[in-house]
Amino acid sequence: MYDYLIVGAGLFGATAARELTLRGKRCLVIDRRDHIAGNAYCKQVEGIPVHWYGAHIFHTSDARIWNYVNQFSEFNHYVNSPVAVYKDELYNLPFNMNTFNRMWGVRTPAEAQKIIAAQIAEERIGEPRNLEEQALSLVGRDVYEKLVKGYTEKQWGRDCKELPAFIIRRLPLRFTYDNNYFNDRYQGIPVEGYTKLVERMLAGVEVRLGVDYKKDRAELDALAEKVIYTGAVDEYFDYSEGVLQYRMVTFEHKVLDMENYQGNAVVNYTEREVPYTRIIEHKHFVFGKQPKTVISKEYPAEWSVGEEPYYPINNAENQALYERYRQLAQKESKVLFGGRLGEYKYYDMDKVIASALAMVDKL
């Protein structure tokens, strides 16, 4: 009945479905959730597009990808400029001259560089043995203690001394008064939210929601010549080689009877004693003027099979395990694997779309 069965209605699946349909292929998209757009799903609450599975800010330096997504939605000029709270202190992110001025009272790049260099030298670290030593060798004691340590330990659920150094390959220090988190040329948020964007991508494509591919695989496979699978690769193979590890996030969404709660879309909480990593106030993504506001607290957590996986733990053990699954995937004559879960790889949204476009071009 179909040329392609596409498992997953997120950005990868929607992009593949659209491009294959434009090339005259018959596609069926399924998703076990009750909505499209995957983790980029935005739910309308009090007239505000709420990023239900965490903040998604579109940014790219690839003009082709920027032009591509702008076919489906008008994007605003939102610039990601998060702030961090440590005890009763407020700092700008990324680490820049506003951060250093607040921390040490310095005004010039030379003053900030001198302090950071002196702190790094004091640590006398040769080859970093763990994440803590890696961070100290990059930014010094003050920035590490106030803005890196607690946040990272909450994210990973472990002491920084127990985490491998490679997790933090670099910590960018910017010696300018620029609070723009991303260096990419293009940046913004769909003014109607990501759900509407994906809905337009899937226009003219048959979509079935609430369908669990794993439960009805044989019946669903029989509907199409080929399958594009964007779920977890180890789940596809019934965890035959072992379980790939992830970190997950739980969300506490609240509607508040006030116009403005925190004055910024993203506020990080860097003390380990504060159980959540950040609070998102969604209306600020789209410059909303609604009388109420919606906030989401994000709590990192250990992941187990059956829960929603978010961030692949790309250490040596998991990469070796994924390689075994990748070799199994290559032997599947009918099934192609793509996306964050299918490739066990953390993707920014622009890279997800680029990867899907590349797959379709190859096909």
Side-chain angles (χ1 to χ4, degrees):
M1 295 173 62
Y2 302 95
D3 295 301
Y4 289 91
L5 170 69
I6 298 174
V7 182
L11 284 172
F12 191 101
T15 301
R18 173 179 170 77
E19 294 305 308
L20 288 166
T21 301
L22 288 175
R23 288 162 171 78
K25 304 300 181 182
R26 296 162 297 165
C27 296
L28 169 64
V29 176
I30 63 170
D31 201 297
R32 62 185 171 193
R33 290 175 174 173
D34 62 358
H35 60 76
I36 61 172
N39 280 7
Y41 170 67
C42 288
K43 182 177 181 178
Q44 292 291 326
V45 181
E46 298 292 336
I48 301 165
V50 174
H51 297 214
W52 206 247
Y53 301 98
H56 284 72
I57 300 152
F58 201 95
H59 59 98
T60 185
S61 292
D62 189 332
R64 179 182 66 118
I65 300 301
W66 181 246
N67 291 332
Y68 185 81
V69 294
N70 273 267
Q71 297 177 84
F72 312 110
S73 177
E74 178 186 355
F75 279 70
N76 65 21
H77 60 279
Y78 176 82
V79 172
N80 190 31
S81 301
V83 295
V85 174
Y86 176 78
K87 298 187 184 299
D88 60 348
E89 301 168 7
L90 195 70
Y91 293 97
N92 290 104
L93 297 175
F95 312 138
N96 64 57
M97 286 304 301
N98 290 309
T99 318
F100 308 141
N101 175 264
R102 177 73 176 88
M103 193 169 288
W104 304 308
V106 298
R107 293 177 57 191
T108 67
E111 291 174 300
Q113 289 168 329
K114 183 177 180 181
I115 291 173
I116 292 168
Q119 290 190 3
I120 291 172
E122 284 176 12
E123 299 297 331
R124 301 178 183 276
I125 295 170
E127 184 66 28
R129 296 169 295 178
N130 52 52
L131 187 147
E132 177 166 289
E133 291 187 357
Q134 173 78 346
L136 288 169
S137 70
L138 292 170
V139 297
R141 177 68 57 176
D142 288 349
V143 173
Y144 169 71
E145 291 284 354
K146 293 188 175 185
L147 301 178
V148 178
K149 185 178 189 298
Y151 192 90
T152 303
E153 289 179 345
K154 286 189 289 188
Q155 277 188 311
W156 292 96
R158 292 163 181 78
D159 190 284
C160 284
K161 294 187 182 71
E162 300 172 7
L163 292 167
F166 74 80
I167 289 176
I168 294 182
R169 301 189 188 279
R170 62 189 185 93
L171 286 169
L173 297 170
R174 299 185 188 171
F175 297 97
T176 61
Y177 289 91
D178 181 5
N179 296 324
N180 183 358
Y181 195 83
F182 300 118
N183 285 320
D184 289 309
R185 181 176 179 183
Y186 308 103
Q187 183 175 175
I189 303 278
V191 295
E192 297 173 281
Y194 288 99
T195 307
K196 184 62 70 173
L197 180 149
V198 174
E199 182 182 302
R200 292 186 180 122
M201 293 178 80
L202 290 170
V205 179
E206 184 177 349
V207 179
R208 300 181 191 175
L209 300 175
V211 177
D212 191 332
Y213 176 73
K214 186 177 180 181
K215 289 181 180 178
D216 302 307
R217 182 186 298 182
E219 178 183 338
L220 291 165
D221 281 351
L223 296 178
E225 295 293 324
K226 292 278 189 180
V227 176
I228 295 176
Y229 179 82
T230 71
V233 63
D234 54 346
E235 181 181 358
Y236 178 88
F237 291 105
D238 296 317
Y239 308 104
S240 60
E241 301 295 309
V243 177
L244 290 165
Q245 294 178 303
Y246 295 84
R247 286 291 285 172
M248 65 174 287
V249 184
T250 61
F251 302 93
E252 180 185 337
H253 305 292
K254 285 186 178 180
V255 177
L256 302 179
D257 192 11
M258 62 178 68
E259 187 176 344
N260 189 353
Y261 174 72
Q262 63 187 16
N264 202 52
V266 183
V267 177
N268 292 0
Y269 288 80
T270 61
E271 292 174 80
R272 187 166 186 176
E273 293 71 21
V274 178
Y276 43 86
T277 50
R278 61 184 184 175
I279 297 178
I280 305 300
E281 187 169 9
H282 301 270
K283 70 189 308 178
H284 296 307
F285 286 134
V286 290
F287 312 106
K289 303 295 183 185
Q290 297 86 350
K292 294 185 180 182
T293 192
V294 182
I295 65 169
S296 300
K297 292 181 179 179
E298 298 187 4
Y299 297 84
E302 294 288 343
W303 173 84
S304 59
V305 173
E307 296 176 303
E308 186 63 39
Y310 283 85
Y311 305 110
I313 300 177
N314 296 119
N315 57 19
E317 177 186 355
N318 280 295
Q319 285 305 116
L321 178 55
Y322 168 66
E323 179 58 28
R324 297 202 293 275
Y325 280 119
R326 191 184 69 81
Q327 291 176 12
L328 287 176
Q330 287 183 327
K331 296 176 183 177
E332 293 285 308
S333 59
K334 182 173 180 173
V335 184
L336 300 158
F337 295 79
R340 173 177 59 96
L341 302 179
E343 298 176 63
Y344 194 65
K345 181 177 182 179
Y346 181 79
Y347 270 121
D348 285 331
M349 287 183 286
D350 63 323
K351 302 300 190 299
V352 168
I353 292 170
S355 178
L357 292 172
M359 176 184 281
V360 172
D361 285 345
K362 186 175 180 181
L363 289 170

